[in-house]
Amino acid sequence: MTASRHAAAHLAQLNVSTLRHPLDDPRMAPFVEMLEPLNAVADGTPGFVWRLVGDGESDATGLRPAGEHVIVNLSVWETRQALWDFTYRSGHLDLLRRRREFFEKNVEAHLVLWWVPAGHLPTVAEALERLAELRVNGPSPRAFTFTSSYTCAEALQATYAVADET
């Protein structure tokens, strides 16, 4: 884990994808072959903090908390820019371009971002709650996307505003 000791918050992200075929299907082989190298790129990207992996595994593809055919990717980054750079300025972009080969088309939000205190590692349950919140209520400082992003300060301000109302 590489974490900034001075940051008050980090950006958590969850994305879920419904597999077109089981991971052991030959049609999924190119995706499976990309996993280890892409995870290594993520792990080495400046600003990377943590990613979810299954017990004794190198990734989280064996975990199915969102359904039998749904894989989850949960990670934490020092900044929004660090996550953006990995997502759109690394080899990960090649996977995004090929996603229709491996995953069903999303009909609802499949990615959610939210701020967490530095040092906090979100649980899958927490992440799925944020995704559900985004799906029901749309973007907010508690659950947003790259295109409807909120700063850490905005998220904190919204939290304090809610606390003041109670």
PDB file of all heavy atoms in Angstrom, residues 43-81:
ATOM      1  N   ASP A  43      -1.248  -1.440  -9.361  1.00  0.00           N
ATOM      2  CA  ASP A  43      -0.451  -1.461  -8.132  1.00  0.00           C
ATOM      3  C   ASP A  43       0.749  -0.521  -8.203  1.00  0.00           C
ATOM      4  O   ASP A  43       1.177   0.024  -7.189  1.00  0.00           O
ATOM      5  CB  ASP A  43       0.041  -2.873  -7.828  1.00  0.00           C
ATOM      6  CG  ASP A  43      -1.082  -3.857  -7.497  1.00  0.00           C
ATOM      7  OD1 ASP A  43      -2.239  -3.423  -7.315  1.00  0.00           O
ATOM      8  OD2 ASP A  43      -0.792  -5.070  -7.422  1.00  0.00           O
ATOM      9  N   GLY A  44       1.290  -0.315  -9.392  1.00  0.00           N
ATOM     10  CA  GLY A  44       2.459   0.535  -9.555  1.00  0.00           C
ATOM     11  C   GLY A  44       2.156   1.968  -9.960  1.00  0.00           C
ATOM     12  O   GLY A  44       3.063   2.777 -10.112  1.00  0.00           O
ATOM     13  N   THR A  45       0.879   2.277 -10.133  1.00  0.00           N
ATOM     14  CA  THR A  45       0.504   3.628 -10.549  1.00  0.00           C
ATOM     15  C   THR A  45       0.647   4.604  -9.383  1.00  0.00           C
ATOM     16  O   THR A  45       0.172   4.317  -8.286  1.00  0.00           O
ATOM     17  CB  THR A  45      -0.950   3.640 -11.064  1.00  0.00           C
ATOM     18  OG1 THR A  45      -1.041   2.804 -12.227  1.00  0.00           O
ATOM     19  CG2 THR A  45      -1.405   5.046 -11.424  1.00  0.00           C
ATOM     20  N   PRO A  46       1.306   5.740  -9.595  1.00  0.00           N
ATOM     21  CA  PRO A  46       1.376   6.748  -8.527  1.00  0.00           C
ATOM     22  C   PRO A  46      -0.035   7.114  -8.059  1.00  0.00           C
ATOM     23  O   PRO A  46      -0.919   7.349  -8.878  1.00  0.00           O
ATOM     24  CB  PRO A  46       2.064   7.933  -9.198  1.00  0.00           C
ATOM     25  CG  PRO A  46       2.858   7.324 -10.313  1.00  0.00           C
ATOM     26  CD  PRO A  46       2.018   6.171 -10.799  1.00  0.00           C
ATOM     27  N   GLY A  47      -0.220   7.114  -6.752  1.00  0.00           N
ATOM     28  CA  GLY A  47      -1.517   7.443  -6.183  1.00  0.00           C
ATOM     29  C   GLY A  47      -2.377   6.237  -5.853  1.00  0.00           C
ATOM     30  O   GLY A  47      -3.410   6.370  -5.202  1.00  0.00           O
ATOM     31  N   PHE A  48      -1.945   5.048  -6.277  1.00  0.00           N
ATOM     32  CA  PHE A  48      -2.684   3.833  -5.919  1.00  0.00           C
ATOM     33  C   PHE A  48      -2.493   3.564  -4.436  1.00  0.00           C
ATOM     34  O   PHE A  48      -1.396   3.686  -3.907  1.00  0.00           O
ATOM     35  CB  PHE A  48      -2.161   2.631  -6.718  1.00  0.00           C
ATOM     36  CG  PHE A  48      -2.696   1.306  -6.249  1.00  0.00           C
ATOM     37  CD1 PHE A  48      -3.944   0.879  -6.626  1.00  0.00           C
ATOM     38  CD2 PHE A  48      -1.939   0.499  -5.399  1.00  0.00           C
ATOM     39  CE1 PHE A  48      -4.442  -0.349  -6.186  1.00  0.00           C
ATOM     40  CE2 PHE A  48      -2.425  -0.721  -4.953  1.00  0.00           C
ATOM     41  CZ  PHE A  48      -3.683  -1.139  -5.351  1.00  0.00           C
ATOM     42  N   VAL A  49      -3.585   3.172  -3.750  1.00  0.00           N
ATOM     43  CA  VAL A  49      -3.517   2.868  -2.328  1.00  0.00           C
ATOM     44  C   VAL A  49      -3.791   1.391  -2.069  1.00  0.00           C
ATOM     45  O   VAL A  49      -3.004   0.715  -1.405  1.00  0.00           O
ATOM     46  CB  VAL A  49      -4.520   3.734  -1.522  1.00  0.00           C
ATOM     47  CG1 VAL A  49      -4.538   3.345  -0.051  1.00  0.00           C
ATOM     48  CG2 VAL A  49      -4.192   5.211  -1.679  1.00  0.00           C
ATOM     49  N   TRP A  50      -4.888   0.854  -2.617  1.00  0.00           N
ATOM     50  CA  TRP A  50      -5.318  -0.503  -2.256  1.00  0.00           C
ATOM     51  C   TRP A  50      -6.336  -1.001  -3.264  1.00  0.00           C
ATOM     52  O   TRP A  50      -7.056  -0.213  -3.868  1.00  0.00           O
ATOM     53  CB  TRP A  50      -5.953  -0.448  -0.863  1.00  0.00           C
ATOM     54  CG  TRP A  50      -6.670  -1.683  -0.421  1.00  0.00           C
ATOM     55  CD1 TRP A  50      -6.116  -2.768   0.193  1.00  0.00           C
ATOM     56  CD2 TRP A  50      -8.068  -1.960  -0.532  1.00  0.00           C
ATOM     57  NE1 TRP A  50      -7.098  -3.706   0.461  1.00  0.00           N
ATOM     58  CE2 TRP A  50      -8.307  -3.215   0.024  1.00  0.00           C
ATOM     59  CE3 TRP A  50      -9.154  -1.254  -1.055  1.00  0.00           C
ATOM     60  CZ2 TRP A  50      -9.580  -3.801   0.072  1.00  0.00           C
ATOM     61  CZ3 TRP A  50     -10.417  -1.819  -1.016  1.00  0.00           C
ATOM     62  CH2 TRP A  50     -10.611  -3.081  -0.448  1.00  0.00           C
ATOM     63  N   ARG A  51      -6.411  -2.331  -3.418  1.00  0.00           N
ATOM     64  CA  ARG A  51      -7.481  -2.952  -4.195  1.00  0.00           C
ATOM     65  C   ARG A  51      -7.918  -4.238  -3.518  1.00  0.00           C
ATOM     66  O   ARG A  51      -7.123  -4.918  -2.850  1.00  0.00           O
ATOM     67  CB  ARG A  51      -7.075  -3.200  -5.640  1.00  0.00           C
ATOM     68  CG  ARG A  51      -6.016  -4.248  -5.828  1.00  0.00           C
ATOM     69  CD  ARG A  51      -5.655  -4.394  -7.323  1.00  0.00           C
ATOM     70  NE  ARG A  51      -4.428  -5.135  -7.446  1.00  0.00           N
ATOM     71  CZ  ARG A  51      -4.347  -6.457  -7.495  1.00  0.00           C
ATOM     72  NH1 ARG A  51      -5.431  -7.195  -7.456  1.00  0.00           N
ATOM     73  NH2 ARG A  51      -3.175  -7.053  -7.587  1.00  0.00           N
ATOM     74  N   LEU A  52      -9.168  -4.559  -3.698  1.00  0.00           N
ATOM     75  CA  LEU A  52      -9.750  -5.764  -3.138  1.00  0.00           C
ATOM     76  C   LEU A  52      -9.208  -6.989  -3.861  1.00  0.00           C
ATOM     77  O   LEU A  52      -9.132  -7.008  -5.090  1.00  0.00           O
ATOM     78  CB  LEU A  52     -11.278  -5.711  -3.297  1.00  0.00           C
ATOM     79  CG  LEU A  52     -12.064  -6.930  -2.832  1.00  0.00           C
ATOM     80  CD1 LEU A  52     -12.012  -7.048  -1.316  1.00  0.00           C
ATOM     81  CD2 LEU A  52     -13.512  -6.824  -3.322  1.00  0.00           C
ATOM     82  N   VAL A  53      -8.831  -8.006  -3.088  1.00  0.00           N
ATOM     83  CA  VAL A  53      -8.462  -9.305  -3.644  1.00  0.00           C
ATOM     84  C   VAL A  53      -9.129 -10.380  -2.800  1.00  0.00           C
ATOM     85  O   VAL A  53      -9.398 -10.175  -1.614  1.00  0.00           O
ATOM     86  CB  VAL A  53      -6.932  -9.538  -3.686  1.00  0.00           C
ATOM     87  CG1 VAL A  53      -6.252  -8.528  -4.590  1.00  0.00           C
ATOM     88  CG2 VAL A  53      -6.323  -9.505  -2.309  1.00  0.00           C
ATOM     89  N   GLY A  54      -9.410 -11.509  -3.417  1.00  0.00           N
ATOM     90  CA  GLY A  54      -9.978 -12.628  -2.673  1.00  0.00           C
ATOM     91  C   GLY A  54      -8.918 -13.280  -1.809  1.00  0.00           C
ATOM     92  O   GLY A  54      -7.716 -13.160  -2.072  1.00  0.00           O
ATOM     93  N   ASP A  55      -9.345 -13.976  -0.768  1.00  0.00           N
ATOM     94  CA  ASP A  55      -8.403 -14.678   0.114  1.00  0.00           C
ATOM     95  C   ASP A  55      -7.539 -15.637  -0.682  1.00  0.00           C
ATOM     96  O   ASP A  55      -8.043 -16.507  -1.393  1.00  0.00           O
ATOM     97  CB  ASP A  55      -9.166 -15.459   1.196  1.00  0.00           C
ATOM     98  CG  ASP A  55      -9.788 -14.541   2.230  1.00  0.00           C
ATOM     99  OD1 ASP A  55      -9.306 -13.398   2.386  1.00  0.00           O
ATOM    100  OD2 ASP A  55     -10.759 -14.973   2.887  1.00  0.00           O
ATOM    101  N   GLY A  56      -6.227 -15.456  -0.584  1.00  0.00           N
ATOM    102  CA  GLY A  56      -5.283 -16.324  -1.279  1.00  0.00           C
ATOM    103  C   GLY A  56      -5.266 -16.144  -2.784  1.00  0.00           C
ATOM    104  O   GLY A  56      -4.698 -16.958  -3.494  1.00  0.00           O
ATOM    105  N   GLU A  57      -5.879 -15.077  -3.278  1.00  0.00           N
ATOM    106  CA  GLU A  57      -5.959 -14.830  -4.719  1.00  0.00           C
ATOM    107  C   GLU A  57      -5.159 -13.573  -5.065  1.00  0.00           C
ATOM    108  O   GLU A  57      -4.763 -12.814  -4.197  1.00  0.00           O
ATOM    109  CB  GLU A  57      -7.422 -14.646  -5.147  1.00  0.00           C
ATOM    110  CG  GLU A  57      -8.322 -15.831  -4.843  1.00  0.00           C
ATOM    111  CD  GLU A  57      -7.962 -17.068  -5.642  1.00  0.00           C
ATOM    112  OE1 GLU A  57      -7.478 -16.929  -6.787  1.00  0.00           O
ATOM    113  OE2 GLU A  57      -8.156 -18.180  -5.125  1.00  0.00           O
ATOM    114  N   SER A  58      -4.965 -13.355  -6.361  1.00  0.00           N
ATOM    115  CA  SER A  58      -4.269 -12.143  -6.806  1.00  0.00           C
ATOM    116  C   SER A  58      -5.236 -11.076  -7.305  1.00  0.00           C
ATOM    117  O   SER A  58      -4.822  -9.977  -7.652  1.00  0.00           O
ATOM    118  CB  SER A  58      -3.272 -12.495  -7.910  1.00  0.00           C
ATOM    119  OG  SER A  58      -3.962 -13.042  -9.021  1.00  0.00           O
ATOM    120  N   ASP A  59      -6.525 -11.437  -7.359  1.00  0.00           N
ATOM    121  CA  ASP A  59      -7.534 -10.466  -7.788  1.00  0.00           C
ATOM    122  C   ASP A  59      -8.859 -10.797  -7.105  1.00  0.00           C
ATOM    123  O   ASP A  59      -8.917 -11.680  -6.247  1.00  0.00           O
ATOM    124  CB  ASP A  59      -7.672 -10.456  -9.321  1.00  0.00           C
ATOM    125  CG  ASP A  59      -8.082 -11.806  -9.888  1.00  0.00           C
ATOM    126  OD1 ASP A  59      -9.026 -12.437  -9.357  1.00  0.00           O
ATOM    127  OD2 ASP A  59      -7.479 -12.234 -10.884  1.00  0.00           O
ATOM    128  N   ALA A  60      -9.911 -10.096  -7.500  1.00  0.00           N
ATOM    129  CA  ALA A  60     -11.211 -10.267  -6.852  1.00  0.00           C
ATOM    130  C   ALA A  60     -12.239 -10.967  -7.740  1.00  0.00           C
ATOM    131  O   ALA A  60     -13.419 -10.979  -7.421  1.00  0.00           O
ATOM    132  CB  ALA A  60     -11.755  -8.907  -6.422  1.00  0.00           C
ATOM    133  N   THR A  61     -11.787 -11.569  -8.853  1.00  0.00           N
ATOM    134  CA  THR A  61     -12.748 -12.155  -9.784  1.00  0.00           C
ATOM    135  C   THR A  61     -13.512 -13.338  -9.203  1.00  0.00           C
ATOM    136  O   THR A  61     -14.593 -13.653  -9.675  1.00  0.00           O
ATOM    137  CB  THR A  61     -12.071 -12.586 -11.103  1.00  0.00           C
ATOM    138  OG1 THR A  61     -11.004 -13.501 -10.805  1.00  0.00           O
ATOM    139  CG2 THR A  61     -11.554 -11.389 -11.876  1.00  0.00           C
ATOM    140  N   GLY A  62     -12.978 -13.985  -8.190  1.00  0.00           N
ATOM    141  CA  GLY A  62     -13.680 -15.105  -7.573  1.00  0.00           C
ATOM    142  C   GLY A  62     -14.762 -14.677  -6.597  1.00  0.00           C
ATOM    143  O   GLY A  62     -15.635 -15.464  -6.235  1.00  0.00           O
ATOM    144  N   LEU A  63     -14.721 -13.423  -6.184  1.00  0.00           N
ATOM    145  CA  LEU A  63     -15.736 -12.897  -5.275  1.00  0.00           C
ATOM    146  C   LEU A  63     -16.968 -12.531  -6.088  1.00  0.00           C
ATOM    147  O   LEU A  63     -16.852 -11.886  -7.125  1.00  0.00           O
ATOM    148  CB  LEU A  63     -15.209 -11.662  -4.547  1.00  0.00           C
ATOM    149  CG  LEU A  63     -13.905 -11.853  -3.760  1.00  0.00           C
ATOM    150  CD1 LEU A  63     -13.441 -10.519  -3.201  1.00  0.00           C
ATOM    151  CD2 LEU A  63     -14.101 -12.862  -2.653  1.00  0.00           C
ATOM    152  N   ARG A  64     -18.131 -12.899  -5.631  1.00  0.00           N
ATOM    153  CA  ARG A  64     -19.357 -12.605  -6.383  1.00  0.00           C
ATOM    154  C   ARG A  64     -20.441 -12.026  -5.476  1.00  0.00           C
ATOM    155  O   ARG A  64     -21.555 -12.519  -5.432  1.00  0.00           O
ATOM    156  CB  ARG A  64     -19.859 -13.857  -7.089  1.00  0.00           C
ATOM    157  CG  ARG A  64     -18.885 -14.472  -8.074  1.00  0.00           C
ATOM    158  CD  ARG A  64     -18.573 -13.495  -9.236  1.00  0.00           C
ATOM    159  NE  ARG A  64     -17.428 -13.921 -10.003  1.00  0.00           N
ATOM    160  CZ  ARG A  64     -17.489 -14.746 -11.026  1.00  0.00           C
ATOM    161  NH1 ARG A  64     -18.634 -15.237 -11.415  1.00  0.00           N
ATOM    162  NH2 ARG A  64     -16.386 -15.085 -11.661  1.00  0.00           N
ATOM    163  N   PRO A  65     -20.150 -10.955  -4.748  1.00  0.00           N
ATOM    164  CA  PRO A  65     -21.132 -10.391  -3.821  1.00  0.00           C
ATOM    165  C   PRO A  65     -22.313  -9.703  -4.504  1.00  0.00           C
ATOM    166  O   PRO A  65     -23.320  -9.435  -3.860  1.00  0.00           O
ATOM    167  CB  PRO A  65     -20.317  -9.379  -3.019  1.00  0.00           C
ATOM    168  CG  PRO A  65     -19.242  -8.957  -3.969  1.00  0.00           C
ATOM    169  CD  PRO A  65     -18.903 -10.203  -4.744  1.00  0.00           C
ATOM    170  N   ALA A  66     -22.198  -9.426  -5.787  1.00  0.00           N
ATOM    171  CA  ALA A  66     -23.275  -8.726  -6.489  1.00  0.00           C
ATOM    172  C   ALA A  66     -24.049  -9.648  -7.426  1.00  0.00           C
ATOM    173  O   ALA A  66     -24.876  -9.192  -8.197  1.00  0.00           O
ATOM    174  CB  ALA A  66     -22.701  -7.548  -7.268  1.00  0.00           C
ATOM    175  N   GLY A  67     -23.769 -10.954  -7.364  1.00  0.00           N
ATOM    176  CA  GLY A  67     -24.455 -11.911  -8.228  1.00  0.00           C
ATOM    177  C   GLY A  67     -23.480 -12.894  -8.843  1.00  0.00           C
ATOM    178  O   GLY A  67     -22.294 -12.609  -8.983  1.00  0.00           O
ATOM    179  N   GLU A  68     -24.000 -14.029  -9.224  1.00  0.00           N
ATOM    180  CA  GLU A  68     -23.166 -15.129  -9.721  1.00  0.00           C
ATOM    181  C   GLU A  68     -22.343 -14.764 -10.952  1.00  0.00           C
ATOM    182  O   GLU A  68     -21.219 -15.219 -11.119  1.00  0.00           O
ATOM    183  CB  GLU A  68     -24.066 -16.327 -10.045  1.00  0.00           C
ATOM    184  CG  GLU A  68     -23.322 -17.537 -10.542  1.00  0.00           C
ATOM    185  CD  GLU A  68     -24.247 -18.692 -10.882  1.00  0.00           C
ATOM    186  OE1 GLU A  68     -25.408 -18.696 -10.455  1.00  0.00           O
ATOM    187  OE2 GLU A  68     -23.783 -19.602 -11.596  1.00  0.00           O
ATOM    188  N   HIS A  69     -22.874 -13.909 -11.810  1.00  0.00           N
ATOM    189  CA  HIS A  69     -22.194 -13.562 -13.055  1.00  0.00           C
ATOM    190  C   HIS A  69     -21.588 -12.158 -13.039  1.00  0.00           C
ATOM    191  O   HIS A  69     -21.145 -11.659 -14.065  1.00  0.00           O
ATOM    192  CB  HIS A  69     -23.159 -13.692 -14.234  1.00  0.00           C
ATOM    193  CG  HIS A  69     -23.760 -15.053 -14.342  1.00  0.00           C
ATOM    194  ND1 HIS A  69     -23.035 -16.160 -14.700  1.00  0.00           N
ATOM    195  CD2 HIS A  69     -25.015 -15.490 -14.088  1.00  0.00           C
ATOM    196  CE1 HIS A  69     -23.806 -17.225 -14.675  1.00  0.00           C
ATOM    197  NE2 HIS A  69     -25.022 -16.844 -14.303  1.00  0.00           N
ATOM    198  N   VAL A  70     -21.561 -11.537 -11.858  1.00  0.00           N
ATOM    199  CA  VAL A  70     -21.085 -10.163 -11.733  1.00  0.00           C
ATOM    200  C   VAL A  70     -19.747 -10.146 -10.995  1.00  0.00           C
ATOM    201  O   VAL A  70     -19.639 -10.672  -9.894  1.00  0.00           O
ATOM    202  CB  VAL A  70     -22.113  -9.287 -10.980  1.00  0.00           C
ATOM    203  CG1 VAL A  70     -21.595  -7.863 -10.831  1.00  0.00           C
ATOM    204  CG2 VAL A  70     -23.457  -9.319 -11.688  1.00  0.00           C
ATOM    205  N   ILE A  71     -18.747  -9.545 -11.630  1.00  0.00           N
ATOM    206  CA  ILE A  71     -17.467  -9.370 -10.947  1.00  0.00           C
ATOM    207  C   ILE A  71     -17.374  -7.937 -10.444  1.00  0.00           C
ATOM    208  O   ILE A  71     -17.984  -7.023 -10.999  1.00  0.00           O
ATOM    209  CB  ILE A  71     -16.258  -9.743 -11.834  1.00  0.00           C
ATOM    210  CG1 ILE A  71     -16.180  -8.904 -13.094  1.00  0.00           C
ATOM    211  CG2 ILE A  71     -16.286 -11.226 -12.173  1.00  0.00           C
ATOM    212  CD1 ILE A  71     -14.906  -9.121 -13.899  1.00  0.00           C
ATOM    213  N   VAL A  72     -16.623  -7.777  -9.360  1.00  0.00           N
ATOM    214  CA  VAL A  72     -16.473  -6.462  -8.741  1.00  0.00           C
ATOM    215  C   VAL A  72     -15.009  -6.043  -8.743  1.00  0.00           C
ATOM    216  O   VAL A  72     -14.115  -6.874  -8.670  1.00  0.00           O
ATOM    217  CB  VAL A  72     -17.005  -6.440  -7.282  1.00  0.00           C
ATOM    218  CG1 VAL A  72     -18.484  -6.769  -7.243  1.00  0.00           C
ATOM    219  CG2 VAL A  72     -16.220  -7.379  -6.390  1.00  0.00           C
ATOM    220  N   ASN A  73     -14.814  -4.749  -8.848  1.00  0.00           N
ATOM    221  CA  ASN A  73     -13.497  -4.159  -8.731  1.00  0.00           C
ATOM    222  C   ASN A  73     -13.641  -3.027  -7.729  1.00  0.00           C
ATOM    223  O   ASN A  73     -14.409  -2.094  -7.957  1.00  0.00           O
ATOM    224  CB  ASN A  73     -13.025  -3.637 -10.090  1.00  0.00           C
ATOM    225  CG  ASN A  73     -11.691  -2.936  -9.994  1.00  0.00           C
ATOM    226  OD1 ASN A  73     -11.582  -1.878  -9.393  1.00  0.00           O
ATOM    227  ND2 ASN A  73     -10.689  -3.524 -10.593  1.00  0.00           N
ATOM    228  N   LEU A  74     -12.937  -3.137  -6.630  1.00  0.00           N
ATOM    229  CA  LEU A  74     -13.010  -2.150  -5.558  1.00  0.00           C
ATOM    230  C   LEU A  74     -11.590  -1.705  -5.244  1.00  0.00           C
ATOM    231  O   LEU A  74     -10.718  -2.549  -4.991  1.00  0.00           O
ATOM    232  CB  LEU A  74     -13.678  -2.767  -4.321  1.00  0.00           C
ATOM    233  CG  LEU A  74     -13.751  -1.953  -3.042  1.00  0.00           C
ATOM    234  CD1 LEU A  74     -14.513  -0.654  -3.248  1.00  0.00           C
ATOM    235  CD2 LEU A  74     -14.397  -2.787  -1.936  1.00  0.00           C
ATOM    236  N   SER A  75     -11.359  -0.398  -5.285  1.00  0.00           N
ATOM    237  CA  SER A  75     -10.005   0.102  -5.022  1.00  0.00           C
ATOM    238  C   SER A  75     -10.067   1.470  -4.368  1.00  0.00           C
ATOM    239  O   SER A  75     -11.111   2.112  -4.331  1.00  0.00           O
ATOM    240  CB  SER A  75      -9.169   0.150  -6.310  1.00  0.00           C
ATOM    241  OG  SER A  75      -9.756   1.004  -7.272  1.00  0.00           O
ATOM    242  N   VAL A  76      -8.907   1.905  -3.855  1.00  0.00           N
ATOM    243  CA  VAL A  76      -8.773   3.207  -3.211  1.00  0.00           C
ATOM    244  C   VAL A  76      -7.558   3.912  -3.814  1.00  0.00           C
ATOM    245  O   VAL A  76      -6.517   3.286  -4.027  1.00  0.00           O
ATOM    246  CB  VAL A  76      -8.606   3.061  -1.676  1.00  0.00           C
ATOM    247  CG1 VAL A  76      -8.359   4.409  -1.020  1.00  0.00           C
ATOM    248  CG2 VAL A  76      -9.815   2.366  -1.062  1.00  0.00           C
ATOM    249  N   TRP A  77      -7.722   5.212  -4.055  1.00  0.00           N
ATOM    250  CA  TRP A  77      -6.706   6.029  -4.707  1.00  0.00           C
ATOM    251  C   TRP A  77      -6.497   7.304  -3.917  1.00  0.00           C
ATOM    252  O   TRP A  77      -7.419   7.801  -3.278  1.00  0.00           O
ATOM    253  CB  TRP A  77      -7.156   6.353  -6.137  1.00  0.00           C
ATOM    254  CG  TRP A  77      -7.298   5.105  -6.948  1.00  0.00           C
ATOM    255  CD1 TRP A  77      -8.361   4.237  -6.926  1.00  0.00           C
ATOM    256  CD2 TRP A  77      -6.349   4.549  -7.826  1.00  0.00           C
ATOM    257  NE1 TRP A  77      -8.114   3.175  -7.758  1.00  0.00           N
ATOM    258  CE2 TRP A  77      -6.893   3.345  -8.336  1.00  0.00           C
ATOM    259  CE3 TRP A  77      -5.089   4.958  -8.264  1.00  0.00           C
ATOM    260  CZ2 TRP A  77      -6.207   2.546  -9.240  1.00  0.00           C
ATOM    261  CZ3 TRP A  77      -4.414   4.156  -9.168  1.00  0.00           C
ATOM    262  CH2 TRP A  77      -4.971   2.973  -9.649  1.00  0.00           C
ATOM    263  N   GLU A  78      -5.293   7.851  -3.973  1.00  0.00           N
ATOM    264  CA  GLU A  78      -5.005   9.086  -3.248  1.00  0.00           C
ATOM    265  C   GLU A  78      -5.806  10.255  -3.792  1.00  0.00           C
ATOM    266  O   GLU A  78      -6.214  11.135  -3.032  1.00  0.00           O
ATOM    267  CB  GLU A  78      -3.509   9.408  -3.300  1.00  0.00           C
ATOM    268  CG  GLU A  78      -2.682   8.463  -2.471  1.00  0.00           C
ATOM    269  CD  GLU A  78      -1.202   8.787  -2.508  1.00  0.00           C
ATOM    270  OE1 GLU A  78      -0.773   9.678  -3.289  1.00  0.00           O
ATOM    271  OE2 GLU A  78      -0.453   8.159  -1.749  1.00  0.00           O
ATOM    272  N   THR A  79      -6.020  10.285  -5.099  1.00  0.00           N
ATOM    273  CA  THR A  79      -6.720  11.403  -5.727  1.00  0.00           C
ATOM    274  C   THR A  79      -7.588  10.909  -6.876  1.00  0.00           C
ATOM    275  O   THR A  79      -7.389   9.814  -7.408  1.00  0.00           O
ATOM    276  CB  THR A  79      -5.730  12.434  -6.302  1.00  0.00           C
ATOM    277  OG1 THR A  79      -4.991  11.814  -7.363  1.00  0.00           O
ATOM    278  CG2 THR A  79      -4.781  12.971  -5.229  1.00  0.00           C
ATOM    279  N   ARG A  80      -8.512  11.761  -7.280  1.00  0.00           N
ATOM    280  CA  ARG A  80      -9.333  11.476  -8.458  1.00  0.00           C
ATOM    281  C   ARG A  80      -8.440  11.386  -9.698  1.00  0.00           C
ATOM    282  O   ARG A  80      -8.636  10.542 -10.557  1.00  0.00           O
ATOM    283  CB  ARG A  80     -10.385  12.578  -8.628  1.00  0.00           C
ATOM    284  CG  ARG A  80     -11.277  12.403  -9.833  1.00  0.00           C
ATOM    285  CD  ARG A  80     -12.142  13.670 -10.057  1.00  0.00           C
ATOM    286  NE  ARG A  80     -12.990  13.552 -11.204  1.00  0.00           N
ATOM    287  CZ  ARG A  80     -12.593  13.717 -12.470  1.00  0.00           C
ATOM    288  NH1 ARG A  80     -11.328  13.996 -12.732  1.00  0.00           N
ATOM    289  NH2 ARG A  80     -13.449  13.597 -13.463  1.00  0.00           N
ATOM    290  N   GLN A  81      -7.458  12.284  -9.778  1.00  0.00           N
ATOM    291  CA  GLN A  81      -6.568  12.303 -10.938  1.00  0.00           C
ATOM    292  C   GLN A  81      -5.775  11.006 -11.060  1.00  0.00           C
ATOM    293  O   GLN A  81      -5.566  10.508 -12.163  1.00  0.00           O
ATOM    294  CB  GLN A  81      -5.620  13.507 -10.877  1.00  0.00           C
ATOM    295  CG  GLN A  81      -4.818  13.699 -12.157  1.00  0.00           C
ATOM    296  CD  GLN A  81      -5.700  14.011 -13.355  1.00  0.00           C
ATOM    297  OE1 GLN A  81      -6.556  14.883 -13.288  1.00  0.00           O
ATOM    298  NE2 GLN A  81      -5.488  13.301 -14.451  1.00  0.00           N
TER     299      GLN A  81
END
